[in-house]
């Protein structure tokens, strides 16, 4: 992973290497923008509470497995430290929701709910459909949403993604789709193809862990080459995908 990141740094740029007005505005006004102190304070509270939860739960893994855990019994606090969204990316997710004026979001892979909650901080209009296959993790996330009084903004589907996704994408349009679930090539590409039904011109898709494995790197390249994809931004961990028909097809690697 270190060698991958060093290679990324050598090929990436900051806002000064971006000539697209849309991407330049996104980088300067959102990606590189500092979050407000109130958002940071609320997020710290979320992280502190979940990292103090040492309840052990049994995990049902529908994806590529874990690089960090040897068995399916895990403490909630360990999940928060090892596989939950980082504070840096949680703050970025919050800023993206605000900057892009996201009202309808779809999250594939609720996990313990940190990303879901990050999207809701000071974004009272957003409604989120979030899907998690593991029932024990769903209970943890739902408890978080109730504690922080955002359950009215979130619908949690404790379902296998492959079963519920066709239903959701055939009935709704989403401003943002956040994919942090099955880190396998075939499954991720299947999610991407199905979610295309639910996009509009200004939608953004976010794919987590695009450098998690060679298969995920190949997946990212396939997504970039899709005829409906116009702009992509590679942040090393995340890949952002835009479909704006008015844009020329361009791919960016941005240091973050």
């Amino acid at each position: 992973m270190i060698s991958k990141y060093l290679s990324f740094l050598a090929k990436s740029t900051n806002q000064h290497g971006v000539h697209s007005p849309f991407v330049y505005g996104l980088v300067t006004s959102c990606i590189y923008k500092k979050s407000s102190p109130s958002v940071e304070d609320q997020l710290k509270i979320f992280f502190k509470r979940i990292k103090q939860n040492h309840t052990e739960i049994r995990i049902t893994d529908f994806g590529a497995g874990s690089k960090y855990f040897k068995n399916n019994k895990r403490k909630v606090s360990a999940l928060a430290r090892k596989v939950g969204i980082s504070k840096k990316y949680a703050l970025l997710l919050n800023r993206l929701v605000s900057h892009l004026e996201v009202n309808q979001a779809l999250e594939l892979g609720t996990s313990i709910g940190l990303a879901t909650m990050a999207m809701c901080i000071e974004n009272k209009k957003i409604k989120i459909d979030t899907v998690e296959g593991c029932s024990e993790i769903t209970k943890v996330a739902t408890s978080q949403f109730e504690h922080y009084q955002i359950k009215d903004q979130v619908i949690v589907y404790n379902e296998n993604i492959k079963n519920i996704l066709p239903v959701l994408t055939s009935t709704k349009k989403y401003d943002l789709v956040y994919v942090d679930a099955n880190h396998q090539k075939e499954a991720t590409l299947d999610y991407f193809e199905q979610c295309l039904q639910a996009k509009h011109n200004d939608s953004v898709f976010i794919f987590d862990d695009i450098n998690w494995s060679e298969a995920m790197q190949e997946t990212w390249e396939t997504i970039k080459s899709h005829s409906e994809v116009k702009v992509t931004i590679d942040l090393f961990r995340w890949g952002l995908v835009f479909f704006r028909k008015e844009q020329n097809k361009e791919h960016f690697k941005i240091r973050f």
Side-chain angles (χ1 to χ4, degrees):
M1 190 62 71
I2 293 174
S3 63
K4 288 179 183 178
Y5 186 62
L6 291 175
S7 176
F8 169 82
L9 287 178
K11 298 175 182 177
S12 62
T13 186
N14 56 23
Q15 72 270 30
H16 301 299
V18 174
H19 302 294
S20 163
F22 168 72
V23 177
Y24 181 85
L26 185 69
V27 172
T28 56
S29 300
C30 180
I31 295 176
Y32 285 173
K33 183 180 180 181
K34 184 173 176 60
S35 296
S36 69
S38 62
V39 169
E40 291 198 22
D41 288 345
Q42 290 179 69
L43 193 68
K44 285 179 184 177
I45 293 171
F46 292 167
F47 272 78
K48 182 177 180 180
R49 182 174 187 266
I50 200 71
K51 287 181 178 179
Q52 291 176 341
N53 184 345
H54 303 301
T55 304
E56 190 173 76
I57 61 176
R58 187 179 296 273
I59 302 297
T60 302
D61 197 322
F62 294 92
S66 174
K67 290 184 177 182
Y68 304 104
F69 300 103
K70 301 300 182 183
N71 58 56
N72 64 348
K73 289 184 178 180
R74 300 163 198 175
K75 290 183 178 180
V76 173
S77 54
L79 289 171
R81 290 194 306 271
K82 295 292 187 179
V83 299
I85 190 172
S86 69
K87 290 181 182 178
K88 178 180 179 179
Y89 278 90
L91 289 170
L92 175 57
L93 185 57
N94 175 269
R95 294 196 300 272
L96 281 167
V97 167
S98 177
H99 181 79
L100 298 172
E101 298 181 348
V102 173
N103 291 319
Q104 296 289 335
L106 171 63
E107 178 183 32
L108 303 182
T110 315
S111 188
I112 52 179
L114 287 171
T116 323
M117 293 189 292
M119 285 190 272
C120 290
I121 299 175
E122 297 186 5
N123 293 311
K124 301 303 182 183
K125 292 183 179 180
I126 191 172
K127 300 293 184 182
I128 304 171
D129 292 333
T130 184
V131 185
E132 173 57 54
C134 177
S135 60
E136 291 299 304
I137 292 181
T138 301
K139 291 176 185 176
V140 174
T142 301
S143 174
Q144 290 284 99
F145 303 154
E146 291 175 350
H147 179 82
Y148 291 108
Q149 299 179 353
I150 62 168
K151 62 180 182 178
D152 291 341
Q153 292 179 258
V154 182
I155 300 177
V156 184
Y157 296 89
N158 179 206
E159 301 271 359
N160 190 314
I161 293 174
K162 68 178 183 181
N163 296 332
I164 191 63
L165 188 56
V167 177
L168 295 175
T169 56
S170 65
T171 57
K172 295 188 178 183
K173 294 291 183 183
Y174 293 103
D175 307 311
L176 182 150
V177 176
Y178 177 56
V179 182
D180 183 17
N182 189 326
H183 290 70
Q184 298 182 86
K185 182 177 182 179
E186 183 178 353
T188 304
L189 289 177
D190 184 51
Y191 301 159
F192 170 67
E193 291 286 349
Q194 289 192 57
C195 287
L196 288 175
Q197 302 177 64
K199 70 171 178 60
H200 54 76
N201 190 63
D202 296 318
S203 296
V204 58
F205 288 7
I206 304 171
F207 292 89
D208 188 47
D209 286 332
I210 58 174
N211 283 292
W212 192 78
S213 64
E214 287 188 10
M216 284 301 292
Q217 289 178 316
E218 292 171 2
T219 301
W220 178 238
E221 292 302 318
T222 301
I223 290 171
K224 285 166 59 179
S225 67
H226 193 279
S227 60
E228 293 190 54
V229 171
K230 287 302 184 76
V231 173
T232 67
I233 300 175
D234 180 347
L235 300 175
F236 186 70
R237 174 160 183 167
W238 275 7
L240 277 60
V241 178
F242 295 90
F243 306 92
R244 294 160 54 89
K245 294 179 180 178
E246 63 271 31
Q247 301 285 143
N248 293 323
K249 194 173 183 77
E250 292 183 276
H251 307 295
F252 300 88
K253 291 179 183 287
I254 303 295
R255 298 184 201 114
F256 175 61

